[in-house]
Structure formats: structure tokens, C-alpha cells
Coordinates of all heavy atoms in Angstrom, one line a residue:
M706 N -48.3 -96.0 -66.0 CA -48.7 -95.1 -65.0 C -50.0 -94.4 -65.4 O -50.1 -94.0 -66.6 CB -47.6 -94.0 -64.9 CG -47.8 -93.0 -63.9 SD -46.5 -91.7 -63.8 CE -45.1 -92.7 -63.5
D707 N -50.9 -94.4 -64.5 CA -52.3 -93.9 -64.8 C -52.8 -93.0 -63.7 O -52.6 -93.3 -62.5 CB -53.3 -95.0 -65.0 CG -52.9 -96.0 -66.1 OD1 -53.0 -95.5 -67.3 OD2 -52.5 -97.1 -65.8
F708 N -53.4 -91.9 -64.1 CA -54.1 -91.0 -63.1 C -55.6 -91.4 -63.0 O -56.2 -91.8 -64.0 CB -54.0 -89.5 -63.6 CG -52.7 -88.9 -63.2 CD1 -51.6 -88.8 -64.1 CD2 -52.5 -88.4 -61.9 CE1 -50.4 -88.2 -63.8 CE2 -51.3 -87.8 -61.6 CZ -50.3 -87.7 -62.5
S709 N -56.1 -91.1 -61.9 CA -57.6 -91.3 -61.7 C -58.3 -90.1 -62.5 O -57.6 -89.1 -62.8 CB -57.9 -91.2 -60.2 OG -57.6 -90.0 -59.7
A710 N -59.6 -90.3 -62.7 CA -60.3 -89.3 -63.4 C -60.3 -88.0 -62.8 O -60.3 -86.9 -63.5 CB -61.8 -89.8 -63.6
D711 N -60.2 -87.9 -61.5 CA -60.2 -86.6 -60.7 C -58.7 -86.2 -60.4 O -58.5 -85.2 -59.7 CB -61.0 -86.7 -59.5 CG -60.5 -87.7 -58.5 OD1 -59.5 -88.3 -58.7 OD2 -61.2 -87.8 -57.4
S712 N -57.7 -86.9 -60.9 CA -56.3 -86.6 -60.7 C -55.9 -86.7 -59.2 O -54.9 -86.2 -58.9 CB -55.9 -85.3 -61.3 OG -56.2 -85.2 -62.7
S713 N -56.7 -87.4 -58.4 CA -56.3 -87.5 -57.0 C -55.5 -88.7 -56.7 O -54.9 -88.8 -55.6 CB -57.6 -87.6 -56.1 OG -58.3 -86.4 -56.2
Y714 N -55.4 -89.6 -57.6 CA -54.6 -90.9 -57.4 C -53.8 -91.2 -58.6 O -54.1 -90.8 -59.8 CB -55.6 -92.0 -57.1 CG -56.4 -91.8 -55.9 CD1 -57.7 -91.3 -56.1 CD2 -55.9 -92.0 -54.6 CE1 -58.5 -91.1 -55.0 CE2 -56.7 -91.7 -53.5 CZ -58.0 -91.3 -53.7 OH -58.8 -91.0 -52.6
L715 N -52.7 -92.0 -58.4 CA -51.8 -92.4 -59.5 C -51.6 -93.9 -59.2 O -51.4 -94.4 -58.1 CB -50.5 -91.7 -59.3 CG -49.4 -92.1 -60.2 CD1 -49.6 -91.6 -61.6 CD2 -48.1 -91.5 -59.7
Q716 N -51.7 -94.7 -60.3 CA -51.4 -96.1 -60.2 C -50.2 -96.5 -61.1 O -50.0 -95.9 -62.1 CB -52.5 -97.1 -60.5 CG -52.8 -97.2 -62.0 CD -53.9 -98.3 -62.3 OE1 -54.2 -99.1 -61.4 NE2 -54.4 -98.3 -63.5
V717 N -49.3 -97.3 -60.5 CA -48.1 -97.8 -61.3 C -48.0 -99.3 -61.1 O -48.5 -99.9 -60.2 CB -46.8 -97.1 -60.7 CG1 -46.8 -95.6 -61.0 CG2 -46.6 -97.4 -59.3
S718 N -47.3 -99.9 -62.1 CA -47.0 -101.3 -62.1 C -45.5 -101.4 -61.9 O -44.7 -100.8 -62.7 CB -47.4 -102.0 -63.4 OG -48.8 -101.9 -63.5
T719 N -45.1 -102.1 -60.9 CA -43.6 -102.2 -60.6 C -43.0 -103.3 -61.4 O -43.6 -104.2 -61.9 CB -43.4 -102.5 -59.1 OG1 -43.8 -103.8 -58.8 CG2 -44.1 -101.5 -58.2
G720 N -41.6 -103.3 -61.4 CA -40.9 -104.3 -62.1 C -41.0 -105.7 -61.4 O -40.7 -106.7 -62.0
S721 N -41.5 -105.7 -60.2 CA -41.8 -107.0 -59.4 C -43.2 -107.4 -59.6 O -43.7 -108.2 -58.8 CB -41.3 -106.8 -58.0 OG -42.1 -105.8 -57.3
Y722 N -43.9 -106.8 -60.6 CA -45.3 -107.2 -60.9 C -46.3 -107.0 -59.8 O -47.1 -107.8 -59.4 CB -45.4 -108.6 -61.4 CG -44.5 -108.8 -62.6 CD1 -43.2 -109.3 -62.6 CD2 -45.0 -108.4 -63.9 CE1 -42.5 -109.4 -63.7 CE2 -44.2 -108.5 -65.0 CZ -42.9 -109.0 -64.9 OH -42.2 -109.1 -66.0
K723 N -46.2 -105.8 -59.2 CA -47.1 -105.3 -58.2 C -47.8 -104.0 -58.6 O -47.1 -103.2 -59.2 CB -46.4 -105.1 -56.8 CG -45.9 -106.4 -56.2 CD -45.3 -106.2 -54.9 CE -45.1 -107.4 -54.2 NZ -43.9 -108.1 -54.1
R724 N -49.1 -103.9 -58.4 CA -49.8 -102.7 -58.7 C -49.8 -101.9 -57.5 O -50.2 -102.4 -56.4 CB -51.2 -103.1 -59.2 CG -52.1 -101.9 -59.4 CD -53.5 -102.3 -59.8 NE -54.4 -101.2 -59.8 CZ -55.7 -101.3 -59.6 NH1 -56.2 -102.5 -59.3 NH2 -56.5 -100.3 -59.7
Q725 N -49.4 -100.6 -57.6 CA -49.4 -99.8 -56.4 C -50.2 -98.5 -56.7 O -50.1 -98.0 -57.9 CB -48.0 -99.4 -56.0 CG -47.2 -100.6 -55.5 CD -45.8 -100.3 -55.2 OE1 -45.2 -99.4 -55.6 NE2 -45.2 -101.2 -54.4
V726 N -50.9 -98.0 -55.7 CA -51.7 -96.8 -55.9 C -51.3 -95.8 -54.9 O -51.1 -96.1 -53.7 CB -53.2 -97.1 -55.8 CG1 -54.1 -95.9 -55.9 CG2 -53.7 -98.2 -56.8
Y727 N -51.1 -94.5 -55.3 CA -50.7 -93.4 -54.5 C -51.6 -92.3 -54.5 O -52.2 -92.0 -55.6 CB -49.3 -93.0 -54.9 CG -48.2 -94.0 -54.8 CD1 -47.9 -94.9 -55.8 CD2 -47.5 -94.2 -53.6 CE1 -47.0 -95.8 -55.7 CE2 -46.6 -95.2 -53.5 CZ -46.3 -96.0 -54.5 OH -45.3 -97.0 -54.4
E728 N -51.7 -91.5 -53.4 CA -52.5 -90.3 -53.4 C -51.6 -89.2 -54.0 O -50.4 -89.2 -53.9 CB -52.8 -89.9 -51.9 CG -53.8 -90.7 -51.2 CD -54.1 -90.3 -49.8 OE1 -53.3 -89.4 -49.3 OE2 -55.0 -90.8 -49.2
V729 N -52.3 -88.3 -54.7 CA -51.6 -87.1 -55.3 C -52.1 -85.9 -54.6 O -53.3 -85.7 -54.4 CB -51.9 -87.0 -56.8 CG1 -51.4 -85.8 -57.4 CG2 -51.4 -88.3 -57.5
P730 N -51.3 -85.0 -54.1 CA -49.8 -84.8 -54.3 C -49.0 -85.4 -53.2 O -47.8 -85.3 -53.2 CB -49.6 -83.3 -54.4 CG -50.6 -82.8 -53.5 CD -51.8 -83.7 -53.6
S731 N -49.6 -86.0 -52.1 CA -48.9 -86.4 -50.9 C -47.9 -87.5 -51.2 O -46.9 -87.7 -50.5 CB -49.9 -86.8 -49.8 OG -50.5 -88.0 -50.1
G732 N -48.3 -88.4 -52.2 CA -47.4 -89.6 -52.4 C -47.6 -90.7 -51.5 O -46.9 -91.7 -51.5
K733 N -48.7 -90.6 -50.6 CA -49.0 -91.7 -49.7 C -49.5 -92.9 -50.4 O -50.5 -92.7 -51.2 CB -49.9 -91.2 -48.6 CG -50.3 -92.2 -47.6 CD -51.4 -91.7 -46.6 CE -51.9 -92.8 -45.8 NZ -53.1 -92.5 -45.0
Q734 N -49.0 -94.1 -50.1 CA -49.5 -95.3 -50.8 C -50.8 -95.7 -50.2 O -50.9 -95.7 -49.0 CB -48.5 -96.4 -50.7 CG -48.9 -97.6 -51.5 CD -47.8 -98.7 -51.5 OE1 -46.8 -98.6 -50.9 NE2 -48.2 -99.8 -52.1
L735 N -51.8 -96.0 -51.1 CA -53.0 -96.6 -50.6 C -52.9 -98.1 -50.5 O -52.4 -98.7 -51.4 CB -54.2 -96.3 -51.6 CG -54.6 -94.8 -51.7 CD1 -55.7 -94.7 -52.7 CD2 -55.0 -94.2 -50.4
V736 N -53.4 -98.6 -49.4 CA -53.4 -100.1 -49.2 C -54.8 -100.6 -49.0 O -55.0 -101.8 -49.0 CB -52.5 -100.5 -48.1 CG1 -51.0 -100.3 -48.5 CG2 -52.8 -99.8 -46.8
D737 N -55.8 -99.7 -48.8 CA -57.2 -100.1 -48.6 C -57.8 -100.5 -49.9 O -58.1 -99.7 -50.7 CB -58.0 -99.0 -47.9 CG -59.4 -99.3 -47.6 OD1 -59.9 -100.4 -47.9 OD2 -60.1 -98.4 -47.1
Q738 N -58.0 -101.8 -50.1 CA -58.5 -102.3 -51.4 C -59.9 -101.8 -51.7 O -60.2 -101.6 -52.9 CB -58.4 -103.9 -51.5 CG -58.7 -104.4 -52.8 CD -57.7 -104.0 -53.9 OE1 -56.5 -104.0 -53.6 NE2 -58.1 -103.6 -55.0
A739 N -60.7 -101.7 -50.7 CA -62.1 -101.2 -50.9 C -62.0 -99.8 -51.5 O -62.8 -99.4 -52.4 CB -62.9 -101.2 -49.6
L740 N -61.1 -98.9 -51.0 CA -61.0 -97.6 -51.5 C -60.4 -97.6 -53.0 O -60.9 -96.9 -53.8 CB -60.1 -96.7 -50.6 CG -59.7 -95.3 -51.1 CD1 -61.0 -94.5 -51.3 CD2 -58.8 -94.7 -50.2
I741 N -59.4 -98.4 -53.2 CA -58.8 -98.6 -54.5 C -59.9 -99.0 -55.5 O -60.0 -98.5 -56.7 CB -57.6 -99.5 -54.5 CG1 -56.5 -98.9 -53.7 CG2 -57.2 -99.9 -55.9 CD1 -55.4 -99.9 -53.4
D742 N -60.8 -99.9 -55.1 CA -61.8 -100.4 -56.0 C -62.8 -99.4 -56.4 O -63.5 -99.5 -57.5 CB -62.6 -101.6 -55.4 CG -61.7 -102.9 -55.3 OD1 -60.7 -103.0 -56.0 OD2 -62.1 -103.7 -54.5
R743 N -62.9 -98.3 -55.6 CA -63.9 -97.2 -56.0 C -63.3 -96.2 -56.9 O -64.1 -95.3 -57.3 CB -64.4 -96.6 -54.7 CG -65.3 -97.5 -53.9 CD -66.1 -96.8 -52.8 NE -65.2 -96.2 -51.8 CZ -64.8 -96.7 -50.7 NH1 -65.1 -97.9 -50.3 NH2 -64.0 -96.0 -49.9
I744 N -62.1 -96.2 -57.1 CA -61.4 -95.2 -58.0 C -61.8 -95.4 -59.4 O -61.7 -96.5 -59.9 CB -59.9 -95.2 -57.8 CG1 -59.5 -94.9 -56.3 CG2 -59.2 -94.2 -58.7 CD1 -58.0 -95.1 -56.0
T745 N -62.2 -94.3 -60.1 CA -62.4 -94.3 -61.5 C -61.1 -93.8 -62.2 O -60.7 -92.7 -61.9 CB -63.6 -93.4 -61.9 OG1 -64.8 -93.9 -61.3 CG2 -63.8 -93.4 -63.4
W746 N -60.6 -94.6 -63.1 CA -59.3 -94.2 -63.7 C -59.5 -93.5 -65.1 O -60.4 -93.9 -65.8 CB -58.4 -95.5 -63.9 CG -58.1 -96.1 -62.6 CD1 -58.7 -97.1 -62.0 CD2 -57.1 -95.6 -61.7 NE1 -58.1 -97.4 -60.8 CE2 -57.1 -96.4 -60.6 CE3 -56.2 -94.6 -61.7 CZ2 -56.3 -96.3 -59.5 CZ3 -55.3 -94.4 -60.7 CH2 -55.4 -95.2 -59.6
A747 N -58.8 -92.4 -65.3 CA -58.9 -91.7 -66.5 C -58.3 -92.5 -67.7 O -58.8 -92.5 -68.8 CB -58.1 -90.4 -66.4
T748 N -57.3 -93.3 -67.4 CA -56.6 -94.2 -68.4 C -56.3 -95.5 -67.7 O -56.4 -95.6 -66.4 CB -55.3 -93.6 -68.9 OG1 -54.4 -93.4 -67.8 CG2 -55.5 -92.3 -69.6
W749 N -56.0 -96.5 -68.5 CA -55.6 -97.8 -67.9 C -54.5 -98.4 -68.8 O -54.8 -98.7 -69.9 CB -56.7 -98.7 -67.7 CG -56.3 -99.9 -67.0 CD1 -55.5 -101.0 -67.4 CD2 -56.6 -100.2 -65.6 NE1 -55.3 -101.9 -66.4 CE2 -56.0 -101.4 -65.3 CE3 -57.3 -99.5 -64.6 CZ2 -56.1 -102.0 -64.0 CZ3 -57.4 -100.1 -63.4 CH2 -56.8 -101.3 -63.1
T750 N -53.3 -98.4 -68.3 CA -52.2 -99.0 -69.1 C -51.5 -100.2 -68.4 O -50.5 -100.7 -68.8 CB -51.1 -97.9 -69.5 OG1 -50.6 -97.4 -68.2 CG2 -51.7 -96.9 -70.3
S751 N -52.1 -100.6 -67.2 CA -51.5 -101.6 -66.4 C -51.9 -103.0 -66.9 O -53.1 -103.2 -67.3 CB -51.9 -101.4 -64.9 OG -51.3 -102.4 -64.1
V752 N -51.0 -103.9 -66.8 CA -51.3 -105.3 -67.1 C -51.7 -106.1 -65.8 O -51.9 -107.3 -65.7 CB -50.2 -106.1 -67.8 CG1 -50.0 -105.5 -69.2 CG2 -48.9 -106.1 -67.0
L753 N -51.7 -105.3 -64.7 CA -52.0 -105.9 -63.4 C -53.3 -105.3 -62.8 O -53.7 -104.2 -63.1 CB -50.9 -105.5 -62.4 CG -49.5 -106.0 -62.9 CD1 -48.4 -105.4 -61.9 CD2 -49.4 -107.5 -63.0
G754 N -54.0 -106.1 -61.9 CA -55.2 -105.7 -61.3 C -56.3 -106.6 -61.5 O -56.4 -107.3 -62.5
D755 N -57.3 -106.5 -60.7 CA -58.5 -107.3 -60.8 C -59.3 -107.0 -62.1 O -59.9 -107.9 -62.7 CB -59.5 -107.2 -59.6 CG -58.9 -107.7 -58.3 OD1 -58.0 -108.6 -58.4 OD2 -59.3 -107.3 -57.2
E756 N -59.2 -105.8 -62.6 CA -59.9 -105.3 -63.8 C -59.4 -106.0 -65.0 O -60.1 -106.0 -66.0 CB -59.8 -103.8 -63.9 CG -60.5 -103.0 -62.8 CD -59.6 -102.8 -61.6 OE1 -58.5 -103.5 -61.5 OE2 -60.0 -102.0 -60.7
V757 N -58.2 -106.5 -65.0 CA -57.5 -107.1 -66.2 C -57.0 -108.5 -66.0 O -56.2 -109.0 -66.8 CB -56.4 -106.2 -66.7 CG1 -56.9 -104.9 -67.2 CG2 -55.3 -106.0 -65.7
I758 N -57.5 -109.2 -65.0 CA -57.0 -110.6 -64.7 C -57.3 -111.5 -65.9 O -56.6 -112.5 -66.1 CB -57.6 -111.1 -63.4 CG1 -56.8 -112.3 -63.0 CG2 -59.1 -111.5 -63.5 CD1 -56.4 -112.3 -61.5
G759 N -58.3 -111.2 -66.7 CA -58.7 -112.1 -67.8 C -57.8 -112.0 -69.0 O -57.9 -112.8 -69.9
I760 N -56.8 -111.1 -69.0 CA -55.9 -111.0 -70.2 C -54.8 -112.1 -70.1 O -54.2 -112.3 -71.1 CB -55.2 -109.6 -70.3 CG1 -54.3 -109.3 -69.1 CG2 -56.3 -108.5 -70.4 CD1 -53.4 -108.1 -69.2
W761 N -54.7 -112.7 -69.0 CA -53.6 -113.7 -68.8 C -54.2 -115.1 -69.2 O -55.2 -115.5 -68.7 CB -53.2 -113.7 -67.4 CG -52.6 -112.4 -67.0 CD1 -53.2 -111.4 -66.4 CD2 -51.2 -112.0 -67.2 NE1 -52.3 -110.3 -66.3 CE2 -51.1 -110.7 -66.8 CE3 -50.1 -112.6 -67.8 CZ2 -49.9 -110.0 -66.9 CZ3 -48.9 -111.9 -67.9 CH2 -48.9 -110.6 -67.4
S762 N -53.5 -115.7 -70.2 CA -53.9 -117.1 -70.5 C -53.5 -118.1 -69.5 O -52.7 -117.7 -68.6 CB -53.3 -117.5 -71.9 OG -51.9 -117.6 -71.7
R763 N -54.1 -119.2 -69.5 CA -53.9 -120.2 -68.5 C -52.4 -120.5 -68.3 O -51.9 -120.8 -67.1 CB -54.6 -121.5 -68.9 CG -54.7 -122.5 -67.8 CD -55.6 -123.7 -68.2 NE -56.9 -123.3 -68.6 CZ -57.9 -123.0 -67.8 NH1 -57.8 -123.0 -66.5 NH2 -59.1 -122.7 -68.4
H764 N -51.6 -120.5 -69.3 CA -50.2 -120.9 -69.2 C -49.2 -119.7 -69.3 O -48.0 -119.9 -69.5 CB -49.8 -121.9 -70.2 CG -50.7 -123.1 -70.2 ND1 -50.7 -124.0 -69.1 CD2 -51.7 -123.5 -71.0 CE1 -51.6 -125.0 -69.3 NE2 -52.3 -124.7 -70.4
A765 N -49.7 -118.5 -69.2 CA -48.9 -117.3 -69.3 C -48.0 -117.1 -68.1 O -48.3 -117.4 -67.0 CB -49.7 -116.1 -69.5
E766 N -46.8 -116.6 -68.4 CA -45.9 -116.2 -67.3 C -46.0 -114.7 -67.1 O -46.5 -114.0 -68.0 CB -44.4 -116.6 -67.7 CG -44.2 -118.1 -67.8 CD -42.8 -118.5 -68.2 OE1 -41.9 -117.6 -68.1 OE2 -42.6 -119.6 -68.6
K767 N -45.5 -114.2 -66.0 CA -45.7 -112.8 -65.7 C -45.2 -111.9 -66.7 O -45.8 -110.9 -67.0 CB -45.0 -112.5 -64.3 CG -45.7 -113.0 -63.1 CD -45.1 -112.5 -61.9 CE -45.8 -113.0 -60.7 NZ -45.2 -112.6 -59.4
A768 N -44.1 -112.2 -67.4 CA -43.5 -111.3 -68.4 C -44.1 -111.4 -69.8 O -43.7 -110.7 -70.7 CB -42.0 -111.5 -68.4
D769 N -45.1 -112.3 -70.0 CA -45.6 -112.6 -71.3 C -46.4 -111.4 -71.9 O -46.3 -111.1 -73.0 CB -46.4 -113.8 -71.4 CG -45.6 -115.1 -71.3 OD1 -44.3 -115.0 -71.5 OD2 -46.2 -116.2 -71.1
V770 N -47.2 -110.8 -71.0 CA -48.0 -109.6 -71.5 C -47.3 -108.4 -71.1 O -47.0 -108.1 -70.0 CB -49.4 -109.6 -70.9 CG1 -50.3 -108.5 -71.4 CG2 -50.2 -111.0 -71.2
N771 N -46.9 -107.6 -72.2 CA -46.0 -106.4 -72.0 C -46.7 -105.1 -71.8 O -46.2 -104.2 -71.2 CB -45.1 -106.3 -73.1 CG -44.2 -107.6 -73.3 OD1 -43.6 -108.0 -72.3 ND2 -44.3 -108.2 -74.4
C772 N -47.9 -105.0 -72.5 CA -48.5 -103.6 -72.4 C -50.0 -103.8 -72.6 O -50.5 -104.8 -73.1 CB -48.0 -102.7 -73.5 SG -48.2 -103.4 -75.2
A773 N -50.7 -102.8 -72.1 CA -52.2 -102.7 -72.2 C -52.6 -101.3 -72.3 O -52.0 -100.4 -71.8 CB -52.8 -103.4 -71.0
C774 N -53.8 -101.1 -72.9 CA -54.3 -99.7 -73.0 C -55.9 -99.8 -73.2 O -56.3 -100.6 -74.0 CB -53.7 -99.0 -74.1 SG -54.2 -97.2 -74.2
V775 N -56.6 -99.1 -72.4 CA -58.1 -99.1 -72.5 C -58.4 -98.0 -73.5 O -57.8 -96.9 -73.6 CB -58.7 -98.8 -71.2 CG1 -60.2 -98.5 -71.3 CG2 -58.5 -100.0 -70.2
S776 N -59.5 -98.3 -74.3 CA -59.9 -97.3 -75.3 C -60.5 -96.0 -74.6 O -60.8 -96.1 -73.4 CB -61.0 -97.9 -76.2 OG -62.2 -98.2 -75.4
H777 N -60.6 -94.9 -75.4 CA -61.1 -93.7 -74.8 C -62.5 -93.9 -74.3 O -62.9 -93.2 -73.3 CB -61.0 -92.6 -75.8 CG -59.6 -92.1 -76.1 ND1 -58.9 -91.5 -75.2 CD2 -58.9 -92.3 -77.2 CE1 -57.7 -91.2 -75.7 NE2 -57.6 -91.7 -76.9
S778 N -63.3 -94.8 -74.9 CA -64.7 -95.0 -74.5 C -64.7 -95.8 -73.2 O -65.8 -95.9 -72.5 CB -65.5 -95.7 -75.6 OG -64.9 -97.0 -75.8
G779 N -63.6 -96.5 -72.9 CA -63.6 -97.3 -71.7 C -64.2 -98.7 -71.7 O -64.4 -99.3 -70.7
I780 N -64.5 -99.1 -73.0 CA -65.2 -100.4 -73.1 C -64.3 -101.5 -73.7 O -64.7 -102.7 -73.6 CB -66.5 -100.3 -73.9 CG1 -66.2 -99.8 -75.3 CG2 -67.5 -99.4 -73.1 CD1 -67.5 -99.8 -76.2
N781 N -63.2 -101.2 -74.2 CA -62.3 -102.2 -74.8 C -60.9 -102.0 -74.2 O -60.4 -100.9 -73.9 CB -62.2 -102.1 -76.3 CG -63.6 -102.4 -76.9 OD1 -64.2 -101.5 -77.4 ND2 -64.0 -103.6 -76.9
L782 N -60.1 -103.1 -74.2 CA -58.7 -103.1 -73.8 C -57.9 -103.9 -74.8 O -58.3 -105.0 -75.3 CB -58.7 -103.9 -72.4 CG -57.3 -104.2 -71.9 CD1 -56.7 -102.9 -71.3 CD2 -57.3 -105.3 -70.8
V783 N -56.8 -103.3 -75.2 CA -55.9 -104.0 -76.1 C -54.6 -104.3 -75.4 O -54.2 -103.6 -74.5 CB -55.7 -103.2 -77.4 CG1 -54.9 -101.9 -77.1 CG2 -55.0 -104.0 -78.5
T784 N -54.0 -105.5 -75.7 CA -52.8 -105.9 -75.1 C -51.8 -106.3 -76.1 O -52.2 -106.7 -77.2 CB -53.0 -107.1 -74.1 OG1 -53.4 -108.2 -74.8 CG2 -53.9 -106.8 -73.0
G785 N -50.5 -106.3 -75.8 CA -49.4 -106.7 -76.6 C -48.6 -107.7 -75.8 O -48.4 -107.5 -74.6
D786 N -48.1 -108.8 -76.5 CA -47.4 -109.8 -75.7 C -46.0 -110.2 -76.4 O -45.7 -109.7 -77.5 CB -48.2 -111.0 -75.4 CG -48.6 -111.8 -76.7 OD1 -47.9 -111.8 -77.7 OD2 -49.7 -112.4 -76.7
D787 N -45.3 -111.0 -75.7 CA -44.0 -111.5 -76.2 C -44.0 -112.2 -77.5 O -43.0 -112.4 -78.1 CB -43.3 -112.4 -75.1 CG -42.7 -111.7 -74.0 OD1 -42.6 -110.4 -74.1 OD2 -42.3 -112.3 -73.0
F788 N -45.2 -112.7 -77.9 CA -45.3 -113.5 -79.1 C -45.8 -112.7 -80.3 O -46.1 -113.3 -81.3 CB -46.3 -114.7 -78.8 CG -46.0 -115.4 -77.5 CD1 -46.8 -115.2 -76.4 CD2 -44.9 -116.2 -77.4 CE1 -46.4 -115.8 -75.2 CE2 -44.6 -116.8 -76.2 CZ -45.3 -116.6 -75.1
G789 N -45.8 -111.4 -80.2 CA -46.2 -110.5 -81.3 C -47.7 -110.4 -81.5 O -48.1 -109.9 -82.5
M790 N -48.4 -110.9 -80.5 CA -49.9 -110.9 -80.6 C -50.5 -109.6 -80.0 O -50.0 -109.2 -79.0 CB -50.5 -112.1 -79.9 CG -50.1 -113.4 -80.4 SD -50.6 -113.7 -82.1 CE -52.4 -113.8 -81.9
V791 N -51.4 -109.0 -80.7 CA -52.2 -107.9 -80.2 C -53.6 -108.5 -80.0 O -54.2 -109.0 -80.9 CB -52.2 -106.7 -81.2 CG1 -53.1 -105.6 -80.8 CG2 -50.8 -106.2 -81.4
K792 N -54.1 -108.3 -78.8 CA -55.4 -108.9 -78.4 C -56.3 -107.9 -77.9 O -55.9 -106.9 -77.3 CB -55.2 -110.0 -77.4 CG -54.3 -111.2 -77.8 CD -54.1 -112.2 -76.7 CE -53.2 -113.3 -77.1 NZ -53.0 -114.2 -76.0
L793 N -57.6 -108.1 -78.3 CA -58.7 -107.1 -77.9 C -59.6 -107.8 -76.9 O -60.1 -108.9 -77.2 CB -59.4 -106.7 -79.1 CG -60.6 -105.7 -78.9 CD1 -60.0 -104.3 -78.5 CD2 -61.3 -105.5 -80.2
F794 N -59.9 -107.1 -75.8 CA -60.8 -107.7 -74.8 C -61.8 -106.6 -74.4 O -61.7 -105.4 -74.7 CB -60.0 -107.9 -73.5 CG -58.9 -108.9 -73.6 CD1 -57.6 -108.6 -74.0 CD2 -59.2 -110.3 -73.3 CE1 -56.6 -109.5 -74.1 CE2 -58.2 -111.2 -73.4 CZ -56.9 -110.9 -73.8
D795 N -62.9 -107.1 -73.8 CA -63.9 -106.2 -73.2 C -63.2 -105.6 -71.9 O -62.4 -106.3 -71.3 CB -65.2 -106.9 -72.8 CG -66.0 -107.3 -74.0 OD1 -65.9 -106.6 -75.1 OD2 -66.7 -108.3 -73.9
F796 N -63.5 -104.4 -71.5 CA -63.0 -103.9 -70.3 C -64.1 -103.4 -69.4 O -65.1 -102.8 -69.9 CB -62.1 -102.7 -70.6 CG -61.4 -102.1 -69.3 CD1 -60.3 -102.7 -68.8 CD2 -62.0 -101.0 -68.7 CE1 -59.7 -102.2 -67.6 CE2 -61.4 -100.5 -67.5 CZ -60.3 -101.1 -67.0
P797 N -64.1 -103.8 -68.1 CA -63.1 -104.6 -67.4 C -63.1 -106.0 -67.9 O -64.1 -106.5 -68.4 CB -63.4 -104.4 -66.0 CG -64.9 -104.1 -65.9 CD -65.2 -103.4 -67.2
C798 N -62.1 -106.7 -67.5 CA -61.9 -108.1 -67.9 C -61.6 -108.9 -66.7 O -60.4 -109.4 -66.5 CB -60.8 -108.2 -69.0 SG -60.6 -109.8 -69.7
P799 N -62.5 -109.1 -65.7 CA -62.2 -109.6 -64.4 C -62.2 -111.2 -64.3 O -61.9 -111.7 -63.3 CB -63.3 -109.0 -63.5 CG -64.5 -108.9 -64.4 CD -63.9 -108.5 -65.8
E800 N -62.7 -111.8 -65.3 CA -62.8 -113.3 -65.3 C -61.5 -113.9 -65.8 O -61.1 -113.6 -66.9 CB -64.0 -113.8 -66.0 CG -65.3 -113.3 -65.4 CD -66.5 -113.8 -66.2 OE1 -66.4 -115.0 -66.7 OE2 -67.5 -113.1 -66.3
K801 N -61.0 -114.9 -65.1 CA -59.8 -115.6 -65.6 C -60.0 -116.3 -66.9 O -61.0 -116.9 -67.1 CB -59.3 -116.6 -64.5 CG -58.7 -115.9 -63.3 CD -58.2 -117.0 -62.4 CE -57.6 -116.3 -61.2 NZ -57.0 -117.3 -60.3
F802 N -59.0 -116.3 -67.7 CA -58.9 -117.1 -69.0 C -60.0 -116.8 -70.0 O -60.5 -117.7 -70.6 CB -58.8 -118.6 -68.6 CG -57.9 -118.9 -67.5 CD1 -58.4 -119.6 -66.4 CD2 -56.6 -118.5 -67.5 CE1 -57.6 -120.0 -65.4 CE2 -55.8 -118.8 -66.4 CZ -56.3 -119.6 -65.4
V803 N -60.4 -115.5 -70.1 CA -61.5 -115.2 -71.1 C -60.9 -115.3 -72.5 O -59.7 -115.3 -72.7 CB -62.1 -113.8 -70.9 CG1 -62.7 -113.8 -69.5 CG2 -61.1 -112.7 -71.1
R804 N -61.7 -115.4 -73.5 CA -61.3 -115.4 -74.9 C -61.3 -113.9 -75.3 O -62.0 -113.1 -74.9 CB -62.3 -116.2 -75.7 CG -62.3 -117.6 -75.2 CD -63.2 -118.4 -76.1 NE -62.5 -118.7 -77.3 CZ -62.8 -119.7 -78.1 NH1 -63.9 -120.3 -77.9 NH2 -62.1 -119.9 -79.2
T805 N -60.4 -113.6 -76.3 CA -60.3 -112.3 -76.8 C -61.6 -112.0 -77.7 O -62.3 -112.9 -78.1 CB -59.1 -112.2 -77.7 OG1 -59.1 -113.2 -78.7 CG2 -57.8 -112.3 -76.9
C806 N -61.8 -110.7 -78.0 CA -62.9 -110.3 -78.8 C -62.8 -110.8 -80.2 O -63.8 -111.1 -80.8 CB -63.1 -108.8 -78.7 SG -63.7 -108.2 -77.1
F807 N -61.6 -110.9 -80.7 CA -61.4 -111.4 -82.1 C -60.0 -111.9 -82.2 O -59.2 -111.7 -81.4 CB -61.7 -110.3 -83.1 CG -60.6 -109.3 -83.3 CD1 -59.7 -109.4 -84.4 CD2 -60.5 -108.2 -82.5 CE1 -58.7 -108.5 -84.6 CE2 -59.5 -107.3 -82.7 CZ -58.6 -107.4 -83.8

């Protein structure tokens, strides 16, 4: 669960692997992708979204990557997976099948 930088929006990742964005405090779900793309997030802990598509390896299944967190500077993303691997990426990571930073 992450708040936008201005606390006007909230994003969540569901158990069915969907990213959903809501207005705060109304709770109205946003579906306009152009508006969602313009939101600046204060934090990022989701494994879903165009910003993190590159964290998924070519043969990964949906449940393989369990957690993600963007650094306070907003330039790095770390993930944890089912195989005990901790991986470091540049953030955002919008290109499919990128290599980790190290």
C-alpha cells in the first residue's frame, strides 16, 4: 500500500495481482490510466505496474516476486523473491527482462 506524494491517492496490489488506485478520502477507484501515470508516489512497495515490469524474469510466475521497495532517493528498487534472492534495480524499471544492478 502506497500513498501519493500529496496524499491524494492510494495504490494497492490485490491478491489477484491487480494494481488499483483510489482517491483519498473519497475511496473512488481511478481507472483513467493517463491520470494514474501522472501521480508521483511517496513510496513504492508494489510488484505490479508499468514502473516495475522489468523486475519479472522471462520465466517468472506471478507469485515469484513477493516484495518491492523503492529507496528514499527514488532511484533504486529492491525486490525479494521465492528463491531467497534480493535483487537491486534502477527505478523506474519499465523495460521487460532487465538485468539487476548487481
